[in-house]
Amino acid sequence: MKKLIFVLLFGMALLFNQEANAQFGARVGANFANFDGFDFDSRTGLHAGIYYGLPLMDKLVIEPAIFYSQKGYKSADNSASGRITENLDYIDIPVLVRYQILEGLNLFAGPQGSFLFSRKYEQGGMVSKTKEVVRGYDIAGVIGAGANLPLGLNVQASYDFGLVDLNYFNFNVKNRVFKLALGKNF
């Protein structure tokens, strides 16, 4: 029993020590999204959300987050059918591992789960909001680099690559998103 109490107290002490060093923050940025498998133009959108950086070791941080993220594509204006825009809005939940390679500079990678929040497809004058033509979730990998700036600010560039077939109108496509972001630690 004494060993169990010691382990629990030791674990709580480690947790409180980690909590003191943790970094909560908010991030907003631009998305440049497209589908792998089709020749479309990128949809420019945004992403915004919050993150929580928890130091694991001296140069290693785990960072879970939750973001609203705009994805999809747009087509060139085709005189026969008109321009197509596909707006897919997701709730992204990445869990990144950041490694500080130099003072203020880090590389990161990790998995990301996404849930389809809304959809708006436009072609000519037709609008469809049904989500039945695309899978309601996505699983992706995320890689990127970030830099810490003065005043608790940070910038990062990242690339999300979908790992799951979206079954978009029965076609095998995957989300691809390049992101640029500005964050603030609190």
Side-chain angles (χ1 to χ4, degrees):
M1 184 68 162
K2 289 181 183 180
K3 288 181 182 179
L4 178 61
I5 292 172
F6 175 76
V7 169
L8 288 174
L9 290 174
F10 182 73
M12 288 174 55
L14 283 176
L15 179 63
F16 286 122
N17 182 41
Q18 293 296 329
E19 292 292 327
N21 296 324
Q23 297 255 325
F24 173 77
R27 188 171 287 128
V28 65
N31 282 3
F32 305 95
N34 209 332
F35 283 166
D36 177 41
F38 282 121
D39 187 24
F40 293 129
D41 295 331
S42 294
R43 174 190 183 199
T44 301
L46 67 88
H47 66 277
I50 56 173
Y51 59 89
Y52 187 75
L54 187 61
L56 294 179
M57 290 188 249
D58 184 35
K59 296 183 177 193
L60 200 61
V61 174
I62 188 165
E63 185 183 278
I66 186 165
F67 290 96
Y68 167 76
S69 187
Q70 297 177 326
K71 302 175 187 178
Y73 69 87
K74 60 184 177 181
S75 72
D77 192 7
N78 181 338
S79 59
S81 60
R83 180 187 228 13
I84 297 171
T85 58
E86 178 66 85
N87 299 322
L88 300 172
D89 298 337
Y90 286 88
I91 300 299
D92 289 343
I93 304 171
V95 179
L96 304 176
V97 176
R98 291 184 181 272
Y99 181 73
Q100 182 179 323
I101 56 172
L102 298 171
E103 185 66 33
L105 184 63
N106 63 76
L107 298 176
F108 57 88
Q112 174 175 276
S114 301
F115 302 95
L116 185 62
F117 180 71
S118 69
R119 174 182 179 262
K120 185 177 180 184
Y121 176 90
E122 296 179 77
Q123 181 177 10
M126 184 195 75
V127 174
S128 173
K129 294 185 178 183
T130 181
K131 295 190 272 183
E132 295 174 0
V133 299
V134 64
R135 190 177 306 278
Y137 67 90
D138 191 17
I139 307 262
V142 179
I143 57 171
N148 295 328
L149 304 173
L151 305 174
L153 297 174
N154 60 74
V155 294
Q156 71 178 36
S158 63
Y159 185 71
D160 301 0
F161 52 96
L163 301 171
V164 174
D165 171 17
L166 295 178
N167 197 29
Y168 180 72
F169 288 101
N170 295 319
F171 286 99
N172 182 8
V173 297
K174 295 176 180 150
N175 279 315
R176 299 290 189 249
V177 187
F178 177 70
K179 295 178 177 177
L180 297 172
L182 175 66
K184 170 74 171 134
N185 294 333
F186 299 104

